[in-house]
Amino acid sequence: MNFELKKVEPMGGVSLKDDNTSTQLLSITVGVVGCPYDDIKTTKMITYEFSNAITVAEARAGIETFASAWVTTTYPNID
């Protein structure tokens, strides 16, 4: 079975973790590749950490990459 990122949405505001790091809570929805039923999915709340040295635009751009990597790590594909 193969899994894929269906949707990722930031939830709430950005929080300062420490002088070097901030966090953003994300709602990550995962589904089965090729599944015709939209209700066969799971949604998890995951904390996205990013460096305070990057711009807001860079942090936002990294959300999709982070969420995709999280899905791949958390739901490994089984062929």
Side-chain angles (χ1 to χ4, degrees), residues 3-7 28-32 35 37-44 75:
F3 299 93
E4 65 184 344
L5 175 66
K6 293 289 189 177
K7 181 170 65 170
I28 298 176
T29 303
V30 180
V32 177
C35 182
Y37 306 106
D38 287 336
D39 60 337
I40 306 296
K41 62 186 175 197
T42 187
T43 300
K44 304 287 185 184
Y75 298 92

Side-chain angles (χ1 to χ4, degrees), residues 13-49:
V14 172
S15 297
L16 184 64
K17 181 177 178 182
D18 58 38
D19 289 342
N20 300 313
T21 309
S22 289
T23 62
Q24 171 76 59
L25 190 60
L26 303 177
S27 172
I28 298 176
T29 303
V30 180
V32 177
V33 174
C35 182
Y37 306 106
D38 287 336
D39 60 337
I40 306 296
K41 62 186 175 197
T42 187
T43 300
K44 304 287 185 184
M45 302 301 281
I46 304 300
T47 301
Y48 166 52
E49 289 189 11

Side-chain angles (χ1 to χ4, degrees), residues 5-8 26 48 59-69:
L5 175 66
K6 293 289 189 177
K7 181 170 65 170
V8 60
L26 303 177
Y48 166 52
R60 285 185 183 156
I63 289 174
E64 187 86 19
T65 302
F66 170 83
S68 292

